[in-house]
Amino acid sequence: GYLVVFTLVLTSFLPLSLGLSCAGIFYTAVADSLHVGVGMLSYYISILWASTLVFLPLCGHLLARVDARVCISGAVAVMALDFVFLSQVNTVLQFYIGAFLMGIGVTMLLFLAPSTLVNRWFQTRAGFFVGIIMAFTGVGGVVWSAVGGALINAIGWQQTYLVFAVLCAATLPFTVLCISSSPSSRGLLPVGVHEHAQDKVSPAPNVGSTAHEAYRSASFYVILALAFCLNLGMGLYFLLPSYVATLPAGMANPILGATTASVAMAGQTLSKIALGVVGDRKMTLGFMIGLGFGLAGAAVFLMGIASTAALYAAAFLYGFFYGVTNVMLPIATRRVFGIREYSTIYARISMAASLGSIVSGFLWGTCVQIAGTYLPVFAGVSIVIALAIVLVMALSGSVRRSER
């Protein structure tokens, strides 16, 4: 089980960070080379999220029925080959195709593999290990954004994409040798089964709802709405650097936007670990901590930034909220539906999260363009987070009633 966690940490730190967290570092260089505006290439992330929406049902089905080594190694291979493809693009359309292909690997490595395999291998502390795995997307984003930026300046964006392809492929030996679909495939029991044999809260292996039963329950649709709201509210994260550039301090200090994004990423990384620890014991408390931090951060932005310290505090609080989706949603799904058909059920829930990301990418940017200020975005994000809190309370009430 621990080898599985180690390998998934590697896939988060390398392929996932390189393909998702570092996407933006190429925009300027590629735009200059293709003689288009940077804004034309910024649709990369929206296309990538749209791709995950398309492939989530298929990937969830595959992970439930095909050897996990094949699924995860295939996702890594697709991403490595896509980096090679991106190194050769000479039109915007080809760049968009690269974004769509990258979404295949992101679907498996971000949404499905960590939560599905950890829930199969660990009877206890599953949220903690999912949090550790997800935290390395933030760590990798910090490390590889700096390295990638330096490489683009030194050897160009085409060669940097090829370097990223090699780094991505370097994880393949681990995914082939260290990943196992489930403990039973190795003649083992999930970690923690013996120690908690009498525990009635943690679901036993292969116990829980079928996908058909889940789709007919009210709790499923509450979690769907929650997933959508969470990712809709997270769109502000990508606007922080451009928002900082409108502040007097940001105009005087051009790197303040990048520093603010790094502070938010630090909050995100810490939250994924902290929420994993708390969520394993108290699901509702984990949600409320993450959402409370996010609402506080959005409120500080809404009231106005009077100092650099206030800016960093707001960015950290909001960044902490950013860790909720990838840690707390898997915990909630397992708590409510068990692990019997977890990957299939969670794939559908992740589709709502992806849709929220797609909508947020267009909605908040449009708000800024129309209003000419970021205040509607801060107000909108605050309302969305408040709605998410209401949905968590409804879900918590449903879980308590079902456990009586």
Side-chain angles (χ1 to χ4, degrees):
Y2 297 105
L3 274 178
V4 172
V5 171
F6 171 75
T7 303
L8 292 173
V9 164
L10 278 182
T11 59
S12 288
F13 182 68
L14 284 166
L16 200 50
S17 295
L18 295 171
L20 183 61
S21 303
C22 297
I25 68 174
F26 290 92
Y27 291 169
T28 300
V30 176
D32 288 344
S33 178
L34 300 182
H35 306 293
V36 297
V38 174
M40 288 288 292
L41 301 189
S42 64
Y43 290 112
Y44 178 101
I45 288 294
S46 294
I47 293 170
L48 190 154
W49 290 132
S51 173
T52 65
L53 189 63
V54 171
F55 287 105
L56 269 165
L58 174 61
C59 289
H61 179 84
L62 287 175
L63 193 58
R65 291 165 175 78
V66 178
D67 190 326
R69 284 178 299 179
V70 175
C71 295
I72 296 172
S73 298
V76 171
V78 167
M79 295 179 77
L81 291 172
D82 191 42
F83 280 127
V84 176
F85 173 79
L86 285 168
S87 74
Q88 305 300 314
V89 300
N90 50 38
T91 68
V92 174
L93 177 60
Q94 290 174 349
F95 192 73
Y96 291 164
I97 292 171
F100 190 81
L101 295 175
M102 193 65 70
I104 300 173
V106 170
T107 299
M108 184 63 70
L109 299 183
L110 177 66
F111 289 111
L112 297 176
S115 59
T116 299
L117 291 187
V118 168
N119 278 310
R120 288 177 185 174
W121 275 95
F122 291 88
Q123 180 80 348
T124 58
R125 298 201 298 160
F128 169 73
F129 288 113
V130 170
I132 290 290
I133 293 165
M134 291 293 97
F136 273 85
T137 60
V139 174
V142 173
V143 172
W144 299 117
S145 289
V147 172
L151 286 173
I152 290 170
N153 289 330
I155 62 177
W157 63 270
Q158 293 97 334
Q159 297 303 314
T160 301
Y161 269 134
L162 292 177
V163 171
F164 277 20
V166 173
L167 290 170
C168 186
T171 61
L172 281 172
F174 296 94
T175 61
V176 170
L177 298 175
C178 300
I179 290 290
S180 295
S181 293
S182 64
S184 59
S185 66
R186 295 293 180 94
L188 302 170
L189 290 172
V191 176
V193 166
H194 294 304
E195 296 90 328
H196 295 266
Q198 304 303 317
D199 190 341
K200 296 182 181 180
V201 176
S202 299
N206 300 320
V207 171
S209 305
T210 64
H212 181 67
E213 292 167 343
Y215 300 157
R216 296 173 63 187
S217 72
S219 294
F220 176 76
Y221 293 97
V222 173
I223 297 177
L224 276 184
L226 179 60
F228 178 83
C229 287
L230 289 174
N231 278 34
L232 180 61
M234 289 175 188
L236 173 59
Y237 184 86
F238 297 101
L239 296 176
L240 288 179
S242 58
Y243 163 68
V244 173
T246 67
L247 301 174
M251 295 176 187
N253 182 3
I255 68 168
L256 186 61
T259 307
T260 302
S262 296
V263 171
M265 190 168 288
Q268 172 195 159
T269 302
L270 178 62
S271 77
K272 289 175 179 176
I273 299 172
L275 294 178
V277 173
V278 175
D280 276 333
R281 291 174 169 80
K282 300 286 185 180
M283 179 190 76
T284 303
L285 179 61
F287 270 117
M288 290 304 185
I289 290 174
L291 292 169
F293 273 51
L295 189 58
V300 173
F301 281 123
L302 185 60
M303 290 185 293
I305 300 298
S307 67
T308 302
L311 175 64
Y312 287 162
F316 181 86
L317 289 169
Y318 181 78
F320 199 95
F321 157 68
Y322 202 85
V324 174
T325 294
N326 291 326
V327 177
M328 292 308 305
L329 281 181
I331 290 174
T333 305
R334 173 178 169 139
R335 175 76 178 272
V336 177
F337 302 115
I339 61 173
R340 184 174 178 178
E341 294 190 12
Y342 176 91
S343 62
T344 302
I345 296 169
Y346 191 65
R348 298 306 174 100
I349 292 170
S350 296
M351 289 176 68
S354 290
L355 184 60
S357 296
I358 295 168
V359 173
S360 73
F362 290 101
L363 176 62
W364 304 130
T366 302
C367 284
V368 173
Q369 296 243 343
I370 294 175
T373 173
Y374 286 81
L375 289 179
V377 177
F378 301 144
V381 167
S382 299
I383 292 170
V384 168
I385 296 175
L387 179 58
I389 291 174
V390 173
L391 290 169
V392 168
M393 294 171 65
L395 179 63
S396 178
S398 176
V399 169
R400 284 197 302 270
R401 287 192 296 273
S402 67
E403 291 179 348
R404 286 173 186 166

